[in-house]
Amino acid sequence: MKEYTVQQLAKIAGVSVRTLHHYGHIGLLKPSSRNVARYRFYGESELLRLQQILFFKELDFGLDDIARILDGPGFDPVEALEAHREQLKKRAERLDALLKTIDKTIRKLKGEKIKMSDEELYGGLSKEQANAYAEEARRRWDPKLVDNANANVKKWSKEKWKAVNAELDEILRQLAALMGTPVEDRKVQALVTRHYAYLNNFYEVKPNMYRGLGKLYVEDPRFRAYFEKYRAGLADYLNEAIDRYCDNTPAGKKRRG
Amino acid sequence: MKEYTVQQLAKIAGVSVRTLHHYGHIGLLKPSSRNVARYRFYGESELLRLQQILFFKELDFGLDDIARILDGPGFDPVEALEAHREQLKKRAERLDALLKTIDKTIRKLKGEKIKMSDEELYGGLSKEQANAYAEEARRRWDPKLVDNANANVKKWSKEKWKAVNAELDEILRQLAALMGTPVEDRKVQALVTRHYAYLNNFYEVKPNMYRGLGKLYVEDPRFRAYFEKYRAGLADYLNEAIDRYCDNTPAGKKRRG
DNA sequence: TACAACCCTGACGTTCCGTCAGAGCAAGGG
DNA sequence: CCCTTGCTCTGACGGAACGTCAGGGTTGTA
């Protein structure tokens, strides 16, 4: 039977020795045996448990939660592992897509240094898209405000557009990374809020208009249904947006070196 | 110019009020103005900055790093993207490894389930544990004796296992009850001796095999010093021992009581 | 004017480790 | 057999990024 010292296990699992000590102290992962000199030794099952721990840690569970999960009465390792495997697979696929996108983006950024027509100004949000948003906003809230906003938008500088596009891109990318996460999740909430804060910024809407938005997305129960629907089509939407981003993204918005 | 109170900004951005306080304290995001009553007020630019902060935070940057990024002379988006890509790549690789491990594990677990009944035989000590002990014993002492012992062990009846388990349980319980008692105490000595006699019993080892371990703990004067030193940690040690005992009890696991 | 709902400033608590310090083992070489 | 090198141990303190009171003002509204 294989046994690992602290350092060996640490290296295998990619954590620090201190982490293993810590896990031992809080009873999360104890060595399978100890030396006369109290040296720690871990077996295969500890390695597996550590993997599970790290897995849940990736999902942002606290260590005590992890302990409850792993040591809970109804914990069927096979079942749990199969569920996790599915999650992992999805994550891996998403990561893969993200990686490709980023590669594309980097190539684009490196290649097409300076080339930006007026049309490209609209970048992350196509004219039609912007109009679509405007349309919806018009339907939903105050038409005058929206028209006003659009008028403002047209006066925006290139710089502002760049910044705004970049932000939308960021938000979308992160939302994509969270695909499959429950809507109630704090991260999703935060991102959605940011997304709408972005829209708010985009349209330079007044607070009272924003109240409706905020409520819809953050407090209103309708938000749930809306986002469910939204999420279903999110992948396509994002791919389009990302492609647009790659094709339209002009050279660096700069600062520093 | 639109102004937000702490709570308003917090809600919009999906962070806590305390977080805004904190960011103010460390100089990462300061309110654009303050009341006579020192109430904080944030403007549009603070909202934007906060969103940038949150973006980098999602990427696991520390707050001081974020400050350096945002307040620094400038930064290169390509560079940032490439760094980000590296991070994602590592993550993807780890995910991949995890997936493989999980697949292996699932297969293993499914396979082993069938053989569970066999494992039940081992009672207080899991098969691996038993084998681990055996392995060590084999290394340390006479291989033939160990094999012999194992052969014997396999013929033990459930009744015998129960009895043996009960004894270990009893010993540990009494040791726990004596926690804090000086090592020199006759009772402690007796129990420690019984503990090792239990191991002895388990392997049905001969006295000479036991020499390496038993003498060190019970007769050798070095033991005295050693144990004195570790007496402070005795509680932990015992708890660990007891936990190990519980963890390895298969079928009808009794975890905690 | 009362009262809920905000806001303030300390200041201590928490999680998850990083990082010494002071010491003990393990093993190969001289 | 000693020496050196490389692990390992146990505290104990530190620190990042807040959470969570306590104790006490402020504001808007009924």
Side-chain angles (χ1 to χ4, degrees), chain A residues 187-199:
Chain A
K187 281 184 181 169
V188 175
Q189 286 284 325
L191 276 173
V192 170
T193 308
R194 276 183 66 197
H195 184 203
Y196 284 90
Y198 162 81
L199 283 186

Side-chain angles (χ1 to χ4, degrees), chain A residues 1 3 30-34 36-38 45 48 51 55 58 71 76-78 81-82 84-85 88-89 91-92 95 98-99 102-103 105-106 109-110 167 170 173-174 187 190 193-194 197-198 200-201 207 210 252-257, chain B residues 2 4 11-14 48 51-52 54-55 58 70 73-78 81-82 84-85 88-89 91-92 94-95 98-99 101-103 105-106 109-110 113 128-129 131-132 135 213 216-217 226 230 236-237 239-240 243-244 255:
Chain A
M1 261 298 150
E3 282 200 333
K30 286 177 180 169
S32 59
S33 67
R34 289 259 204 153
V36 175
R38 300 193 53 72
S45 51
L48 282 176
Q51 301 271 18
F55 169 73
E58 281 282 312
D71 299 331
D76 178 359
V78 173
L81 277 179
E82 273 170 350
H84 301 166
R85 206 189 75 104
L88 282 187
K89 217 172 167 184
R91 280 203 158 201
L95 265 185
L98 261 179
L99 268 176
I102 286 184
D103 279 345
T105 309
I106 290 177
L109 284 178
K110 275 187 175 167
E167 201 195 332
E170 289 160 14
R173 198 174 297 164
Q174 291 176 53
K187 281 184 181 169
T193 308
R194 276 183 66 197
Y198 162 81
N200 186 40
N201 177 45
Y210 190 71
K253 24 198 159 174
K254 53 102 320 103
R255 277 192 226 152
R256 143 60 118 218
Chain B
K2 174 70 186 143
Y4 308 94
K11 264 185 187 154
I12 289 173
L48 276 175
Q51 284 170 14
Q52 293 183 337
L54 293 180
F55 167 66
E58 284 283 318
L70 295 183
F75 79 107
D76 182 2
V78 173
L81 266 182
E82 274 171 348
H84 188 194
R85 205 192 78 104
L88 288 185
K89 209 174 169 188
R91 231 181 248 195
R94 265 173 64 185
L95 266 186
L98 254 179
L99 263 178
T101 306
I102 285 183
D103 279 346
T105 310
I106 289 177
L109 284 177
K110 275 185 176 169
K113 244 183 182 174
E128 300 150 28
Q129 189 102 28
N131 283 337
E135 189 82 24
L213 221 48
L216 176 65
Y217 279 91
Y226 171 86
Y230 287 110
D236 286 346
Y237 175 75
N239 282 334
E240 279 174 29
D243 277 355
R244 257 203 313 279
R255 270 218 66 92

Side-chain angles (χ1 to χ4, degrees), chain A residues 75-136:
Chain A
F75 180 69
D76 178 359
V78 173
E79 195 181 306
L81 277 179
E82 273 170 350
H84 301 166
R85 206 189 75 104
E86 284 314 298
Q87 289 276 335
L88 282 187
K89 217 172 167 184
K90 276 186 204 163
R91 280 203 158 201
E93 283 163 7
R94 264 185 269 141
L95 265 185
D96 220 52
L98 261 179
L99 268 176
K100 276 178 193 159
T101 304
I102 286 184
D103 279 345
K104 258 204 306 190
T105 309
I106 290 177
R107 276 203 307 277
K108 291 284 179 182
L109 284 178
K110 275 187 175 167
E112 310 176 5
K113 269 295 177 180
I114 305 171
K115 170 186 148 207
M116 191 166 126
S117 70
D118 281 348
E119 253 183 62
E120 281 172 332
L121 271 179
Y122 285 85
L125 229 59
S126 70
K127 258 179 191 168
E128 311 126 43
Q129 187 104 30
N131 284 337
Y133 274 139
E135 190 79 26
E136 186 174 347

Side-chain angles (χ1 to χ4, degrees), chain B residues 64-80:
Chain B
D64 48 351
D65 288 333
I66 296 175
R68 269 192 288 277
I69 289 171
L70 295 183
D71 299 330
F75 79 107
D76 182 2
V78 173
E79 205 177 294

